[in-house]
Amino acid sequence: MSYDPPRPAGRLLLTPQDQEAPARAARLRRLGLGGRPEPALDAFADRVAHLTGAPYAVVNFIGEQGQFFAGLHIGPHVARGGKPELGRHLPRDYGYCPHVVVRRRALVLDDVADFPRFACNPVVDEYGVRSYLGAPLADSTGMVLGTVGAADLAPRAWGRPGLETIKAAAADLVARIEAGTRDGLPL
């Protein structure tokens, strides 16, 4: 992964510059997160999928080398239509979670096609993602560790209930992660 300025696409910046990536990676290492799948985080992603009704849900930690889904839910009825199956790793310029991390705010995309900046993202063509809902995992030190996110293969109106749900899930997970630094990950 490079820390060079983001690459331009016409006048749009596809992937935001992430100045905190090295510090975030160090914090994730200290917490023991982001290096391997966590069954407790898979269960948390399952819960997020259930709460949002989305076929995809993730607990995504963004480090120096890209994105890692330590928690991953892929619905059993996801019709891939010849598209590859989503794995645990994605490059940093794929998807919308890097935007959430750099913005430090939740992001709601009812239909990514409505937003030129997001419509040309590789997850649209490669995985068929059409809508996204994500919130930052901001810990008590102020560091954004990653995101909790949900995605669908069809446009959907997440609305205020979706936004409140994903933000509450992120806050809940941060509290559990911080408690886990003392007692193991109590998810």
Side-chain angles (χ1 to χ4, degrees), residues 66-125:
Q67 304 177 66
F68 178 70
F69 301 133
L72 177 62
H73 170 90
I74 300 174
H77 303 293
V78 173
R80 295 196 327 257
K83 308 251 185 230
E85 185 171 328
L86 181 65
R88 297 252 179 199
H89 296 273
L90 279 181
R92 191 174 167 275
D93 59 344
Y94 277 51
Y96 310 108
C97 293
H99 295 269
V100 171
V101 167
V102 171
R103 291 167 26 118
R104 306 175 71 83
R105 292 187 355 218
L107 178 63
V108 178
L109 299 172
D110 294 337
D111 185 347
V112 298
D114 290 342
F115 301 90
R117 176 182 189 136
F118 299 118
C120 59
N121 193 283
V123 297
V124 175
D125 292 332

Side-chain angles (χ1 to χ4, degrees), residues 5-15:
R7 65 177 202 259
R11 301 178 93 169
L12 302 175
L13 295 176
L14 297 180
T15 305

